[in-house]
Amino acid sequence: MIKTVKPFGKVNGQETYLYTISNDFLTAEICDFGATLIRLYYDGVNVVCGYDSVDRYILNDSYMGAIVLPNANRIRDARFTLNGKEYHLRVNNGPNNLHSSLPGGSAQSIWNVVSYSETELTLQLDYKDGELGFPGNRSFKVTYALKDDRLSITYCRISDQDTVFNPTNHSYFNLNGHGTVLNHILQLNCSHTTPNDENSCPVGEIVEVAGTPFDFREPKAIGRDIDVENQQLEYGKGYDHNWLIDDFDGSLILAGELYSPETSIALQTYTTMPGIQVYTANYLDNDKYSPRDAVCLETQFTPDAINLDNMVKPIIKAGKPAVHITEYRLYKKES
Ligand code: BGC
């Protein structure tokens, strides 16, 4: 077992740290800046993209590995109404708000480590009423825990006012450790998706995936249909869409599986939340990574659900603790 804490570089003069947790199956390295998953090793392969020092995460507009909350993904026109009051967020993605805020959001803050063991790390971040534009004095705790072949992420929140709670982890997976993911095989237990407008924000429709490039009910290479002529794929420059998970009931259920025939590594995603954003890293383009070198499997509520009456709304009640769980299970698949 490895349990180490190493400096990871300074942010505004304050040191950040990299915490390692491990068991017989998995080793994860998590930075307190952004509560970011920096590396995740399974069978000798680092299956998430990441960088070697915190500097690369400071203006992390790809949100690589970070915990995003209170609200993941987009809120149309950066505003919503709750209990008759209108709230305004930062406009940071076209006319919309994306991932709550940048800079200053959960992905760009140093979280407090509240407990740490060989297999578990819990981090906390608090916001005052109105901070980032959302109501409520809020306390968030995120626990990364290794449970056999699973990395479990538990998101807990308590607020003194009704507010929005739609957290995600924004890891970029590559089950070969490098190169394109177009050869990865994806399967999703999702019969419906929520089409976007040109700013990648859902328009409020729910459509069947049958007969479209969005049908991953049977396992299919990510690259098979990604470049077919399709307005939705043009809008996203590839997949950058939310699927509704079949049989969602708030319990921890299997959303789907990613598999690489090259390494035989498979990754299952379980969640208590209603949707999954599949994003094929279409805007990731720098000295280390190119577009489509990774796929994000962001478990979350439907983007903009707070403004859409036909979606499950990510609202939590004052004083009532709320919990969401996501688990990533890694295993070797016989082909
Ligand atoms: C969004 C993408 C965005 C990426 C990085 C994803 O969750 O859907 O449109 O480029 O995050 O911010």
Side-chain angles (χ1 to χ4, degrees), residues 33-261:
F33 185 73
T36 307
L37 182 64
I38 308 287
R39 299 181 190 104
L40 177 64
Y41 289 97
Y42 173 73
D43 201 41
V45 181
N46 175 18
V47 296
V48 296
C49 299
Y51 304 111
D52 289 334
S53 110
V54 80
D55 305 352
R56 299 290 301 256
Y57 291 88
I58 292 174
L59 281 179
N60 181 8
D61 66 356
S62 64
Y63 291 81
M64 189 171 280
I67 296 291
V68 180
L69 48 72
N71 185 72
N73 219 309
R74 290 165 178 82
I75 292 187
R76 181 173 294 280
D77 295 331
R79 65 166 180 246
F80 65 94
T81 302
L82 183 59
N83 297 338
K85 192 171 162 197
E86 189 165 283
Y87 293 91
H88 293 265
L89 311 173
R90 184 175 296 174
V91 176
N92 64 359
N93 187 259
N96 305 319
N97 176 271
L98 174 64
H99 297 325
S100 299
S101 193
L102 179 81
S106 61
Q108 291 82 33
S109 301
I110 300 182
W111 293 53
N112 287 320
V113 169
V114 291
S115 68
Y116 177 40
S117 72
E118 278 185 352
T119 55
E120 208 168 296
L121 178 72
T122 298
L123 307 105
Q124 180 169 351
L125 187 66
D126 293 344
Y127 284 112
K128 293 199 172 56
D129 184 24
E131 264 189 284
L132 302 181
F134 293 87
N137 292 297
R138 293 147 286 155
S139 185
F140 299 95
K141 275 191 191 155
V142 168
T143 299
Y144 285 96
L146 300 181
K147 300 177 177 171
D148 296 329
D149 53 3
R150 293 176 181 223
L151 172 67
S152 160
I153 307 174
T154 304
Y155 307 88
C156 300
R157 168 173 212 180
I158 182 127
S159 165
D160 62 0
Q161 287 179 43
D162 293 3
T163 191
V164 175
F165 187 34
N166 175 24
T168 201
N169 172 277
H170 209 303
S171 285
Y172 286 67
F173 292 100
N174 183 317
L175 303 181
N176 299 332
H178 55 83
T180 181
V181 293
L182 293 178
N183 49 12
H184 283 37
I185 311 294
L186 181 67
Q187 185 270 328
L188 295 172
N189 294 328
C190 302
S191 309
H192 297 88
T193 185
T194 55
N196 291 337
D197 67 8
E198 68 279 15
N199 295 306
S200 294
C201 190
V203 292
E205 285 168 21
I206 295 175
V207 300
E208 288 192 15
V209 294
T212 78
F214 295 84
D215 192 350
F216 284 92
R217 289 173 300 170
E218 294 299 324
K220 174 172 93 173
I222 290 180
R224 197 186 89 178
D225 296 335
I226 199 169
D227 289 321
V228 303
E229 214 172 296
N230 176 281
Q231 192 181 49
Q232 285 298 313
L233 291 170
E234 272 165 43
Y235 284 162
K237 296 196 180 350
Y239 293 108
D240 188 4
H241 295 81
N242 210 272
W243 275 253
L244 299 177
I245 301 165
D246 294 345
D247 303 327
F248 159 76
D249 63 0
S251 64
L252 192 67
I253 57 169
L254 181 63
E257 180 173 287
L258 183 68
Y259 164 66
S260 165

